Amino acid sequence: MGEFDLIDRYFKRPVRRAALGVGDDCALLAPAQGMQLAVSSDMLVEGRHFLPTVDAARLGHKALAVNLSDLAACGAKPLAFTLALALPQVDKRWLAGFSKGLLALADEHGCELVGGDTTRGPLNICITVFGEVPSGAALLRSGARAGDDIWVSGTLGDARLALEVFRGTLQLPAEAFEIARARMEQPTPRVALGLALRGIATAAVDVSDGLVGDLGHVLAASGVGAALNADAATQLIVLGAPASGAALGVEVQRTCALAGGDDYELVFTAPAAARKAVEQAGLASATPVARIGCIEAAPGLRIVDAGGAPLAQRFTAFDHFG
Ligand code: ADP
Ligand code: MG
């Protein structure tokens, strides 16, 4: 199968909203009046972002999910994406699975594959997503103000638990492992929540490198500090509940929740007066939200327990070159 047959077979579909899709030198998108285009790229490299053994459909899902998560963090509505793919060889089973997982998530979000590039090389997947947001309405990292609450969506830490099992540093009962593994391999981009938070949240970021590190970006961009309730965040590990049978120590739980990485949840800030509105946004988007701290004027991140006492444990964000 040649390059163009491969593209036709696995990645070319009838054009829907785009003015021009796969098959020409460029795709054409027609942004609506009064909207800004939100653009983001994320690359997935074998051995670094995913294990060689991962199921192809799950990998297709994840490759797009991590990109949609960036749109969500901006409060942008997904429109389209491009796919740049390096493949060591043409593996039809792999391509069928990958494109199925990828395009299923794309359809769920009405996000159209409009182009890309395909080449031979070590397995590498780079997606660029395009979304739209009313001019001036994007959620930025720079809008947090002293007195704002800090919120996070969904669950934290379970993806990291799965990674530690793969690394052999931790064991989980089979059922618990499957839960953790699904969180690692098939994250849920919080697109609906991002849209519902327009006009409510003052700042937002998605949690890809760990809560503490990504919240740190908001603090730096906003020129503020924060107190983060480690116990409130740690409660958000699904497998932290005794009923899961995972029996995790408190340090492990805190590390996974606060510095786990690969969560693809939204951490965002909103004025205390907007608590009802945030809860309403969570309900409207069927996304759990939890309050885990508050923004303060003094710079720096103070990690405290539920009683307000500082934590001795230190946390660091994931850094590819760190
Ligand atoms: P060019 O040489 O003009 O860059 P290519 O020959 O690389 O174009 O690709 C042909 C067409 O197929 C283009 O429209 C390109 O956007 C599209 N395309 C290439 N690879 C992919 C892919 N993996 N997924 C979707 N579209 C792709
Ligand atoms: Mg090309």
Side-chain angles (χ1 to χ4, degrees), residues 3-4 7 24-25 116-118:
E3 175 186 336
F4 300 104
I7 296 165
D24 213 305
D25 295 310
D117 198 25
T118 306

Side-chain angles (χ1 to χ4, degrees), residues 24-83:
D24 213 305
D25 295 310
C26 290
L28 297 173
L29 302 176
Q33 185 117 60
M35 302 297 250
Q36 287 176 315
L37 211 49
V39 183
S40 180
S41 295
D42 256 312
M43 183 154 65
L44 268 68
V45 175
E46 186 178 59
R48 181 140 282 273
H49 301 98
F50 60 90
L51 302 169
T53 50
V54 68
D55 173 69
R58 288 187 170 203
L59 184 58
H61 172 106
K62 184 164 180 175
L64 183 59
V66 303
N67 279 278
L68 292 175
S69 179
D70 283 313
L71 291 183
C74 276
K77 184 170 168 293
L79 290 177
F81 69 106
T82 61
L83 168 68

Side-chain angles (χ1 to χ4, degrees), residues 55 62 76 91 109 113 120 148 162 188 247 255 261 271 300 309:
D55 173 69
K62 184 164 180 175
D91 176 341
H109 291 277
L113 176 56
R120 192 185 289 271
D148 284 356
T188 306
T255 299

Side-chain angles (χ1 to χ4, degrees), residues 44-46 50 52 59 85-88 94 121-125:
L44 268 68
V45 175
E46 186 178 59
F50 60 90
L59 184 58
L85 196 57
L87 298 170
W94 188 91
L123 185 55
N124 189 321
I125 305 154

